[in-house]
Amino acid sequence: MNSTEKSTENPKTLTDLITALSEGERTTYNHIIHSAKFKPTDFDAYSYWLTDCYTRNCIIDTESFELILICWCEGHKTPIHDHGGEECWVKAVSYTHLRAHETKANL
């Protein structure tokens, strides 16, 4: 198994996920995000909630990707939108959404 294969193997912690995304290519992000297995408590340090709107909580922002924990309460919504040419992947993690997207600089 080469290092690229190993880095995309089922990340189990945020550190594993950040390492896998940092070592991976944009084309592997979907596999990395969806193979990750987390405990809801892994995100406690990044969880911030508001009652009137959802929050976007940055976990890490690099030149290649930004990892964001989005915290929604019941009734929160956002209009249908795009991300200005950026690609986006979403993973639900026990009532939270984790999103990594590639920045425009890499498109």
Side-chain angles (χ1 to χ4, degrees):
M1 174 179 310
N2 68 41
S3 62
T4 302
E5 289 171 334
K6 185 173 184 169
S7 70
T8 61
E9 262 185 27
N10 306 343
K12 292 178 179 54
T13 67
L14 280 176
T15 301
D16 291 348
L17 177 62
I18 291 167
T19 299
L21 291 172
S22 296
E23 294 175 353
E25 300 284 330
R26 178 195 57 75
T27 57
T28 64
Y29 286 177
N30 187 59
H31 170 75
I32 293 167
I33 294 286
H34 292 287
S35 66
K37 307 291 183 201
F38 301 109
K39 297 177 291 199
T41 55
D42 290 341
F43 300 95
D44 287 352
Y46 302 97
S47 298
Y48 177 73
W49 303 82
L50 293 175
T51 56
D52 57 336
C53 64
Y54 69 91
T55 60
R56 294 171 32 99
N57 306 293
C58 184
I59 295 171
I60 188 170
D61 188 358
T62 72
E63 289 185 24
S64 301
F65 65 90
E66 183 176 13
L67 189 61
I68 301 170
L69 179 69
I70 302 177
C71 298
W72 297 78
C73 291
E74 186 175 341
H76 289 170
K77 58 187 173 185
T78 186
I80 295 174
H81 62 283
D82 65 19
H83 295 103
E86 296 177 348
E87 294 182 81
C88 177
W89 297 266
V90 177
K91 178 176 179 78
V93 183
S94 185
Y95 303 107
T96 60
H97 290 147
L98 183 64
R99 179 170 82 191
H101 63 86
E102 187 163 341
T103 61
K104 285 184 180 180
N106 293 323
L107 296 178

